Amino acid sequence: MSPRAGLTTDAVVELAIALVDEGGPGELTLAKVADRAGVAAPSLYKHVKNLADLRRLIDLRVVKEMAETLKNAATGREGGDAVAALADAYRHYLQAHPHRTHALTAAPDQGDVELSAATHAVAEVVFAVLRPFGFDHARSVHATRCIRAAVHGFASLEASGGFGRPEDVGESFEVLKKMLVQGLTDYATNHPEKR
Amino acid sequence: MSPRAGLTTDAVVELAIALVDEGGPGELTLAKVADRAGVAAPSLYKHVKNLADLRRLIDLRVVKEMAETLKNAATGREGGDAVAALADAYRHYLQAHPHRTHALTAAPDQGDVELSAATHAVAEVVFAVLRPFGFDHARSVHATRCIRAAVHGFASLEASGGFGRPEDVGESFEVLKKMLVQGLTDYATNHPEKR
DNA sequence: CGCCCAAGCTACGGTCATTAGCTTTAAAGC
DNA sequence: GCTTTAAAGCTAATGACCGTAGCTTGGGCG
């Protein structure tokens, strides 16, 4: 299927992600990927358009992986339980791969169908979990944003080492989850007519 | 005080921040800063140790500015009101300077007294605002982390264009603030003895 | 067996960070 | 005013890296 028993785009992305995981996005360089692949740098262009494209492929893979992770975490749970499970899964993913934070804020640019679909898939999981709360559409959007903001904010700050103090970070997260679940419950209950 | 009516470190940082504001952290390059300063690139090393140092100086300035912004927002307010004011101020700052997000997650590395002090100053503002809630020390740390996670998470996702849907983002933020204030109130009230 | 194309290569140009070492100029003291 | 001097700036050079152009090769298929 390929001369020289060679690389594939997937393999390149694999090596690239390894580099990011080891040293952060700043360490990602086509030269280093080529080196690890045992190939001259220009050869990579047969598998990847350019560095920006490689970055996008990384984002894509990470977002897809996160969607899968969250889906698994949510299945078999309901309501607040499910929300807490999502939060834990999201946090654990970034604990395991602290340098992937940036990939999860990637805003797909106009026309990037595949990345859009992937981020959409993440949102879908949250939407599904919120169904038992009985929000109308607009409210479920607001609720999803709140969950994402709180959980991603916490996990990314933790991943970047932003929590300097010695107090237990896990307990802080428990507090956050409780706030979130309680807040969602209230938001589902108190339906002021107009405002 | 300086030959050649010249640059200062502050002026260099100024130009650098302008570049970041215009095109994001990826646009920051010593070559471009030098160009704008009307100076050859190596001359910058008289004012800045290297690119990493310049980045740190940017982070430092941004964090200091945020501390000031939050302090102003908080003065004259109390309790939940003050928390909401902090949240709004944080969000507005990142709306005005969307590319400064990364500077606000900068974890000062061991021995960077000045940056540590600056991030500490931000935390101090939040601590001060939380005082009327009557948390013990550990709880105020957890509460501060929750606030930071939720607010920074929301503002940074908004800044990076992460909220794709058409629903009003301001309203989502109102929901978040309400959850947060309510959550803090509950956290202050329900003091389960041990767990 | 021979054709073809994808995967790989070398050579090259451009941008950038950083170092080394020289020149100049403004300020400070005489 | 004149000299000294240290900081501010410069040019030259190196090395990393991205990306393009164009050549080579080897494996699959007729």
Side-chain angles (χ1 to χ4, degrees):
Chain A
M1 187 177 248
S2 64
R4 208 84 235 176
L7 286 177
T8 62
T9 299
D10 272 358
V12 172
V13 173
E14 195 80 30
L15 293 171
I17 288 190
L19 276 170
V20 171
D21 281 344
E22 289 167 29
E27 284 301 296
L28 177 62
T29 204
L30 287 178
K32 282 178 196 150
V33 173
D35 200 44
R36 293 208 176 178
V39 132
S43 305
L44 293 179
Y45 289 84
K46 297 288 158 136
H47 304 286
V48 141
K49 271 216 296 291
N50 49 38
L51 181 56
D53 183 44
L54 178 54
R55 292 210 184 100
R56 180 190 156 271
L57 290 173
I58 292 175
D59 293 351
L60 184 58
R61 179 174 303 194
V62 169
V63 173
K64 278 180 176 173
E65 214 174 284
M66 179 59 92
E68 203 55 37
T69 301
L70 296 182
K71 199 172 300 180
N72 290 338
T75 53
R77 283 171 229 257
E78 274 262 331
D81 242 34
V83 171
L86 286 188
D88 284 330
Y90 199 105
R91 178 175 175 234
H92 288 143
Y93 185 88
L94 279 189
Q95 282 179 331
H97 313 292
H99 292 118
R100 298 189 187 178
T101 302
H102 188 70
L104 292 169
T105 71
D109 48 31
Q110 201 64 11
D112 188 341
V113 184
E114 212 181 352
L115 188 50
S116 297
T119 63
H120 202 266
V122 173
E124 269 313 309
V125 179
V126 182
F127 272 121
V129 152
L130 288 182
R131 205 152 298 141
F133 285 86
F135 295 123
D136 62 31
H137 179 72
R139 282 183 165 239
S140 73
V141 170
H142 298 312
T144 300
R145 285 174 178 164
C146 291
I147 294 172
R148 181 159 175 228
V151 174
H152 175 82
F154 193 100
S156 67
L157 284 170
E158 182 181 17
S160 78
F163 294 143
R165 311 209 176 229
E167 279 80 5
D168 184 55
V169 176
E171 191 166 332
S172 300
F173 196 62
E174 292 301 316
V175 175
L176 184 74
K177 282 191 293 182
K178 200 157 289 183
M179 277 187 191
L180 208 51
V181 172
Q182 185 60 50
L184 290 170
T185 307
D186 290 358
Y187 190 50
T189 309
N190 307 335
H191 264 233
E193 298 317 306
K194 207 63 192 185
R195 139 169 313 256
Chain B
M1 185 177 246
S2 64
R4 204 88 237 175
L7 285 178
T8 62
T9 298
D10 273 358
V12 172
V13 174
E14 194 81 31
L15 292 171
I17 289 191
L19 276 171
V20 171
D21 282 344
E22 289 168 28
E27 283 301 297
L28 177 62
T29 202
L30 287 179
K32 281 179 197 150
V33 173
D35 200 44
R36 292 208 177 179
V39 131
S43 305
L44 293 179
Y45 288 82
K46 295 290 155 121
H47 304 286
V48 142
K49 272 216 296 290
N50 49 39
L51 181 57
D53 182 46
L54 177 55
R55 291 210 184 98
R56 179 190 156 272
L57 290 173
I58 292 175
D59 293 350
L60 184 58
R61 178 170 307 190
V62 169
V63 173
K64 278 181 176 172
E65 214 173 284
M66 180 59 92
E68 201 58 35
T69 301
L70 295 183
K71 199 172 300 178
N72 290 339
T75 53
R77 283 172 229 256
E78 275 261 333
D81 241 35
V83 171
L86 287 187
D88 284 330
Y90 199 105
R91 177 175 176 234
H92 288 143
Y93 185 88
L94 279 189
Q95 282 179 330
H97 313 292
H99 292 117
R100 298 189 187 178
T101 302
H102 188 70
L104 292 169
T105 70
D109 47 31
Q110 201 65 9
D112 187 342
V113 186
E114 212 181 353
L115 188 50
S116 296
T119 63
H120 202 267
V122 172
E124 269 314 309
V125 178
V126 183
F127 272 121
V129 150
L130 287 182
R131 206 151 298 141
F133 284 87
F135 295 123
D136 63 30
H137 179 71
R139 282 183 166 239
S140 72
V141 169
H142 298 312
T144 300
R145 286 172 177 164
C146 291
I147 294 172
R148 182 158 174 228
V151 174
H152 175 81
F154 193 100
S156 67
L157 284 170
E158 181 181 17
S160 76
F163 294 143
R165 311 209 177 228
E167 279 79 6
D168 184 56
V169 177
E171 190 165 334
S172 299
F173 197 62
E174 293 301 316
V175 174
L176 184 74
K177 282 190 292 181
K178 200 156 288 181
M179 277 186 190
L180 208 51
V181 172
Q182 185 59 50
L184 290 170
T185 307
D186 290 358
Y187 191 48
T189 309
N190 307 337
H191 266 234
E193 298 317 306
K194 208 60 194 184
R195 155 150 298 259

